[in-house]
Amino acid sequence: MTMPKIRRNMNAIARERLAERRAAEKAAAAAAPLVSPLAPAGGFPQLPAIAGLELSSVAAGVKYKGRPDVMLARLAPGSVVAGVTTRSTTRSAPVLDCEAKLAAGADAEAGAAFLVNAGNSNAFTGGRGIESVEAVTRAASETLGLPQSRIFTSSTGVIGQPLPHDRIIAALGQLSDGLSAEGWTGAARAIMTTDTFPKGSVETAELAGGTATVAGFAKGSGMIAPDMGTMLVYIFTDAKIAQPALTAMLRRLTDRSFNSITVDSDTSTSDTLLVGATGLGPEVTQADEAAFEAALGAVMTDLALQVVRDGEGATKLLEVRVTGADSDADARKVALAIANSPLVKTAVAGEDPNWGRIVMAVGKSGAKADRDLLSISFGDILVAEKGWVAPSYTEEAGASYMRQAELVVTTDLGLGDGSSTVWTCDLTHRYISINADYRS
């Protein structure tokens, strides 16, 4: 047999084995639970009506068949809108449009609307993407009787395919007719892509003028490593608050919540976080700001952690704490290096207490570190210290701890007061199965 024929036969065998392996992975993925094992036990929470807010959802057929894929939230006249978006240099047309409208700070007296579709991100679609946003916002303006400058759109899904915006426009009448103060669950489900459960959260803040409610929902499962924004998140409150103050709170809280999570180290082109404050509840005075910010922060952190719990293929939630760093910035470098390491994440998936991979991640992070000052703990178990395994540590204790569904890994650098906390999940075969066939 000639060498070229041998190579052809070997290539054919390799292709067959690859096909068999992918078929097995698909079968395993299909057999896996449809809802993440880390999903909140109570399911989607009962979110209360918020004065001045109505929501609806429809199946417009943007990509998916037989399920809601477009949601509308309408805010009453006088509502304030604030937001943060991704700093990706390839961000989508809807993101660019939202940024321009947020920066312009148009008159809030008319009210506002958030219009969101799933299945197509309208990203990397050139001039057609801008035309789609223009067409959708113009049509929504006419249907809802709002200025086009107060229609904020978001899109999530496949990148690089033109948005069939005519399907969204055709559904606007039904969306408008279906608006309801109780439309939370349908709206949360309509923005899902690879999510296995809708994500909602609610908190209250006791202010001098009464009780303010903060509630919202999010989508996100893969392509999660936010950068000044996050997946898609929509939060609403009846509190009366000035737009500059709300924006400042959002930026502070985003860094401590959505910008402190990672599933796969990939930042989306579509990340958008919008907050609508209807102003029909109590006013947030200067004395009330701390209480209101605490409630808003609690909702944002809860939603961020739900995104990690729904990480594509996730079976473990991992909290990465870094202390004793030379600075907070260095601590964050180390925390993200650990949280984004495929070797760390696969060890967590395999319930392997491989603390050497933590050491590796610290070393590659670029942060200041001293091997002989480093200590590592799994929960309350001291694993390593002073550049070596701790005398009290046993592999049995480490392996037993790793079998838990929620884990905490703490790394103390022994250099200063810098600290950071980041949340992530494990990396399993299911993640590959989901993303290998995402477009099909």
Side-chain angles (χ1 to χ4, degrees):
M1 186 180 292
T2 63
M3 287 300 292
K5 185 175 288 187
I6 291 173
R7 288 196 192 98
R8 284 197 298 272
N9 289 341
M10 291 178 66
N11 288 339
I13 293 170
R15 285 194 296 271
E16 288 176 4
R17 288 177 176 171
L18 176 60
E20 290 172 357
R21 185 167 71 248
R22 292 198 62 184
E25 288 174 351
K26 279 187 175 182
L34 294 179
V35 177
S36 168
L38 303 174
F44 192 78
Q46 184 70 38
L47 300 184
I50 288 181
L53 170 68
E54 295 179 306
L55 306 109
S56 63
S57 55
V58 299
V62 174
K63 177 187 180 215
Y64 307 110
K65 297 185 185 301
R67 54 148 282 191
D69 58 356
V70 179
M71 86 87 180
L72 173 66
R74 177 164 182 163
L75 294 152
S79 296
V80 163
V81 176
V84 289
T85 57
T86 180
R87 291 192 299 192
S88 167
T89 55
T90 55
R91 55 196 183 276
S92 69
V95 169
L96 294 172
D97 185 63
C98 277
E99 289 175 346
K101 289 173 178 175
L102 289 168
D107 186 6
E109 287 308 311
F114 303 162
L115 182 61
V116 187
N117 76 269
N120 183 307
S121 71
N122 194 17
F124 204 67
T125 47
R128 292 182 66 174
I130 298 170
E131 291 169 5
S132 290
V133 171
E134 172 66 20
V136 168
T137 56
R138 183 174 59 250
S141 170
E142 294 170 356
T143 300
L144 300 173
L146 293 172
Q148 197 170 345
S149 61
R150 297 292 286 173
I151 309 292
F152 299 84
T153 67
S154 304
S155 299
T156 181
V158 175
I159 293 171
Q161 295 182 1
L163 178 69
H165 59 259
D166 56 315
R167 300 178 189 177
I168 299 173
I169 292 171
L172 284 171
Q174 187 180 349
L175 281 165
S176 179
D177 292 342
L179 284 167
S180 165
E182 288 78 44
W184 291 103
T185 304
R189 288 189 176 279
I191 66 173
M192 292 167 51
T193 52
T194 58
D195 305 61
T196 69
F197 63 90
K199 303 159 184 68
S201 184
V202 60
E203 292 285 341
T204 57
E206 296 303 324
L207 311 181
T211 302
T213 301
V214 181
F217 52 92
K219 68 82 55 179
S221 185
M223 201 182 286
I224 304 297
D227 184 12
M228 287 304 292
T230 183
M231 297 62 64
L232 294 184
V233 183
Y234 307 96
I235 298 173
F236 306 94
T237 179
D238 56 358
K240 184 177 182 179
I241 184 171
Q243 203 260 4
L246 184 57
T247 298
M249 286 183 188
L250 268 188
R251 289 175 177 165
R252 288 193 296 269
L253 295 170
T254 298
D255 281 342
R256 299 201 292 267
S257 56
F258 294 110
N259 277 356
S260 292
I261 63 172
T262 177
V263 168
D264 48 21
S265 80
D266 288 333
T267 297
S268 172
T269 59
S270 306
D271 292 351
T272 301
L273 163 58
L274 294 175
V275 177
T278 67
L280 296 178
E283 182 176 4
V284 180
T285 66
Q286 188 172 359
D288 291 321
E289 285 186 357
F292 180 77
E293 184 165 348
L296 178 59
V299 168
M300 291 171 65
T301 299
D302 184 17
L303 290 175
L305 289 180
Q306 287 189 54
V307 169
V308 178
R309 290 175 180 278
D310 201 19
E312 289 171 341
T315 64
K316 308 275 189 181
L317 175 67
L318 175 63
E319 181 175 328
V320 180
R321 300 176 184 170
V322 176
T323 58
D326 190 54
S327 65
D328 287 347
D330 266 9
R332 185 171 175 83
K333 284 182 183 178
V334 172
L336 287 172
I338 295 170
N340 282 326
S341 166
L343 290 177
V344 171
K345 291 161 70 70
T346 49
V348 172
E351 301 181 342
D352 178 9
N354 192 340
W355 55 271
R357 294 181 177 179
I358 307 295
V359 176
M360 172 279 298
V362 173
K364 75 168 186 176
S365 69
K368 183 178 179 181
D370 184 330
R371 177 198 64 192
D372 295 331
L373 297 177
L374 188 69
S375 67
I376 299 169
S377 298
F378 292 162
D380 295 329
I381 302 168
L382 181 63
V383 177
E385 62 178 344
K386 299 176 182 178
W388 190 244
V389 64
S392 60
Y393 176 70
T394 66
E395 278 289 296
E396 291 77 13
S400 176
Y401 180 76
M402 295 297 286
R403 286 194 284 272
Q404 298 184 49
E406 299 187 12
L407 306 168
V408 177
V409 171
T410 303
T411 302
D412 190 276
L413 301 180
L415 297 172
D417 298 322
S419 63
S420 181
T421 299
V422 168
W423 294 272
T424 190
C425 58
D426 55 346
L427 180 60
T428 67
H429 291 287
R430 184 166 171 79
Y431 179 88
I432 298 171
S433 298
I434 291 169
N435 286 287
D437 302 304
Y438 179 69
R439 295 200 303 169
S440 56

